[in-house]
């Protein structure tokens, strides 16, 4: 009997830990760990030009969930950034139509999902639709690169005293090239699923509404980067989208 005492004591001490591991906290790894989102929306360029005209764009994003409410992802974008001056500058009205291609690596954080305990997560399907939408709110940040291809850029120039030609400072810039950006976004999910255990499939659908601001580290997104008074800020573009998300 005495020989069995250490074994009995060991079982008594470890049983609560074993039962907790088996029946207590759930795995921090979500059941649906991957997602793909495709969408479209409106862009707006904040640069050196007076009128911030609307453009359009499309995107594709893939996400990998590290834990509940935290994911990393890669987003690919293609679209138009547009702008135009109200009046002529050095004899020409400046305008920009930038066909851009962007790639952004970022992290998204859903605070309510992250802080939600296991019990609430299991019975979330019982909550109202509005509560589930609020729980899905997320914010994100990332870094990326944008390749710009400019249309409609006019480079006003002049002739120097030695006979060579130069571009006016207000019309300097690149017709194509690579820029680097810092990206921020906020969004929410509109569930297209019930999450009821008896109806749960191997995937779920959501509508995604997202607003994004992308801050260029240079001044080339609008095609103009001349050294003249008032041109001392970096270019920014916004991207407001709606997309369809598949989580699996």
């Amino acid at each position: 009997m005495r020989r069995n005492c250490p074994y009995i004591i060991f079982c008594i001490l470890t049983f609560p830990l074993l039962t907790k591991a088996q029946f207590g906290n759930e795995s921090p790894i979500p059941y649906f760990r991957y997602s793909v989102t495709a969408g479209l929306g409106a862009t707006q360029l904040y640069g050196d030009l007076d009128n911030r005209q609307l453009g359009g764009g499309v995107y594709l994003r893939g996400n990998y969930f590290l834990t509940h409410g935290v994911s990393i992802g890669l987003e690919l974008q293609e679209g138009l950034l547009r702008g135009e001056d109200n009046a002529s500058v050095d004899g020409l009205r400046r305008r920009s139509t930038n066909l851009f291609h962007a790639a952004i690596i970022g992290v998204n954080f859903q605070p309510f999902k992250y802080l939600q305990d296991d019990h609430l997560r299991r019975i979330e399907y019982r909550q109202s639709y509005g509560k589930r939408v609020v729980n899905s709110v997320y914010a994100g940040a990332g870094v990326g690169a944008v390749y710009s291809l400019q249309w409609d850029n006019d480079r006003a120039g002049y002739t120097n005293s030695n006979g060579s030609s130069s571009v006016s400072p207000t019309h300097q810039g690149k017709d194509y090239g690579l820029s680097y950006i810092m990206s921020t976004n906020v969004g929410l999910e509109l569930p297209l699923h019930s999450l009821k255990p008896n109806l749960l499939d191997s995937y779920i659908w959501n509508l995604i509404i997202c607003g994004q601001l992308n801050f260029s580290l240079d001044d080339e997104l609008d095609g103009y980067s001349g050294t003249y008074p008032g041109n001392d800020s970096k270019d920014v573009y916004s991207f407001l989208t709606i997309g369809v998300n598949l989580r699996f």
Side-chain angles (χ1 to χ4, degrees):
M1 180 68 180
R2 291 182 179 179
R3 292 181 178 179
N4 293 331
C5 283
Y7 176 75
I8 296 173
I9 293 172
F10 175 80
C11 291
I12 293 173
L13 293 176
T14 58
F15 181 76
L17 300 177
L18 293 174
T19 54
K20 181 179 181 180
Q22 185 173 357
F23 304 109
N25 294 334
E26 294 180 355
S27 168
I29 300 174
Y31 180 73
F32 300 106
R33 197 166 190 180
Y34 306 91
S35 76
V36 177
T37 308
L40 52 81
T43 63
Q44 193 163 38
L45 174 64
Y46 301 87
D48 304 320
L49 306 179
D50 297 328
N51 292 326
R52 300 165 179 172
Q53 299 174 332
L54 288 177
V58 295
Y59 78 94
L60 178 67
R61 182 180 178 95
N63 273 57
Y64 175 78
F65 283 80
L66 301 173
T67 185
H68 296 287
V70 181
S71 64
I72 59 174
L74 172 64
E75 182 171 321
L76 304 177
Q77 301 176 356
E78 183 178 87
L80 291 176
L81 301 176
R82 302 172 62 239
E84 185 178 26
D85 273 338
N86 291 323
S88 297
V89 178
D90 293 333
L92 288 174
R93 177 176 292 183
R94 299 186 308 175
R95 60 175 59 87
S96 173
T97 304
N98 179 1
L99 175 61
F100 74 93
H101 302 77
I104 301 170
I105 297 175
V107 177
N108 283 346
F109 176 57
Q110 296 173 292
F112 297 110
K113 293 281 189 183
Y114 182 78
L115 297 174
Q116 194 176 45
D117 64 40
D118 296 338
H119 174 68
L120 292 178
R121 188 175 294 112
R122 287 193 297 270
I123 64 170
E124 186 176 7
Y125 69 93
R126 301 178 187 174
Q127 297 178 346
S128 67
Y129 188 82
K131 179 65 173 177
R132 291 164 60 195
V133 171
V134 170
N135 287 343
S136 75
V137 170
Y138 67 86
V143 295
V146 178
Y147 184 81
S148 299
L149 180 60
Q150 299 285 345
W151 299 347
D152 297 334
N153 288 103
D154 292 320
R155 307 294 183 192
Y158 57 91
T159 302
N160 296 316
S161 58
N162 59 8
S164 62
S165 60
S166 298
V167 176
S168 170
T170 57
H171 285 258
Q172 291 178 359
K174 297 179 181 179
D175 291 332
Y176 57 88
L178 192 66
S179 301
Y180 297 98
I181 59 173
M182 301 290 291
S183 179
T184 60
N185 65 84
V186 294
L188 53 83
E189 301 171 357
L190 302 177
L192 299 177
H193 54 83
S194 65
L195 280 183
K196 292 182 179 179
N198 60 322
L199 299 177
L200 198 61
D201 208 336
S202 57
Y203 55 85
I204 55 177
W205 294 91
N206 299 284
L207 282 179
I208 305 293
I209 298 176
C210 180
Q212 189 179 85
L213 277 179
N214 299 291
F215 302 86
S216 175
L217 301 183
D218 58 30
D219 190 31
E220 295 290 349
L221 295 184
D222 60 5
Y224 299 98
S225 57
T227 55
Y228 55 91
N231 186 33
D232 52 2
S233 60
K234 309 297 184 183
D235 291 336
V236 179
Y237 76 90
S238 63
F239 195 17
L240 180 62
T241 61
I242 184 170
V244 178
N245 168 258
L246 174 65
R247 185 93 177 262
F248 57 95

